[in-house]
Amino acid sequence: MFSNLSPFTRLHVVISLIGIVSGLVVMFGLLVSRRLNGWTALFLISTVLTSVTGFFFPFHGVTPAIVVGIISLVLLAVAIVARYARHLAGHWRWIYVVCAMIALYLNVFVLVVQLFQKVPALKALAPTQTEPPFAVAQLVVLALFVLLTVIAAIKFHGEQLRMA
């Protein structure tokens, strides 16, 4: 799968996967009310880089990928302000959680799209990505993220955290 990709595409994919994996670790930290400072920095940096590098692919006009990248960067900017400038004080705690988790969701959403485009078995199930298996996969991912984001927003109390 990686061998037929350009070096830039490979770099973009690696950065994206780092963002997703570190984001899942950060999500776990939010669910157990832990900051996980190093993982959080890695998640935010790699997720910003994922969106930024996505703009360097050739495109003509506004595409869904461009819109997702712009939305992700706006959410990440708010999450970074909430986390580092506002120190998770007051309402900035839940704003951080929601923005960070929606940014992670968008990366996972794109991962599912790419898996259905690139993995032969998945492509056979949903060749145009309008078929039920694709819709069900995306719906399950969305429902899981909504549930986990709500739980994380409730459980994560920035002012009462132990340093990780």
Side-chain angles (χ1 to χ4, degrees):
M1 184 167 86
F2 256 172
S3 62
N4 61 350
L5 300 178
S6 74
F8 179 75
T9 302
R10 271 186 251 150
L11 175 65
H12 176 76
V13 170
V14 168
I15 293 168
S16 299
L17 292 174
I18 290 169
I20 290 169
V21 170
S22 61
L24 292 172
V25 172
V26 168
M27 178 186 276
F28 172 77
L30 297 174
L31 292 168
V32 298
S33 203
R34 305 261 330 253
R35 284 185 196 218
L36 304 178
N37 294 325
W39 284 102
T40 298
L42 179 62
F43 163 64
L44 293 171
I45 290 167
S46 58
T47 305
V48 166
L49 287 174
T50 294
S51 292
V52 170
T53 58
F55 292 116
F56 289 97
F57 288 101
F59 64 92
H60 305 287
V62 177
T63 65
I66 296 296
V67 173
V68 167
I70 291 168
I71 292 168
S72 183
L73 285 173
V74 169
L75 290 165
L76 289 163
V78 174
I80 289 167
V81 167
R83 180 76 163 82
Y84 297 106
R86 300 298 180 195
H87 307 287
L88 305 172
H91 64 277
W92 289 103
R93 178 191 57 80
W94 69 261
I95 290 171
Y96 162 73
V97 172
V98 171
C99 288
M101 291 306 92
I102 294 173
L104 175 59
Y105 163 73
L106 291 174
N107 274 356
V108 173
F109 172 85
V110 171
L111 175 64
V112 172
V113 169
Q114 291 297 314
L115 290 172
F116 272 89
Q117 286 179 350
K118 309 288 191 234
V119 175
L122 293 175
K123 187 171 181 78
L125 288 174
T128 66
Q129 295 188 353
T130 58
E131 296 80 9
F134 177 77
V136 167
Q138 290 291 20
L139 187 60
V140 167
V141 169
L142 176 62
L144 189 59
F145 266 87
V146 168
L147 176 65
L148 292 173
T149 299
V150 169
I151 294 169
I154 292 166
K155 289 191 155 241
F156 183 69
H157 299 289
E159 62 278 353
Q160 298 172 352
L161 293 177
R162 298 178 304 269
M163 296 303 282

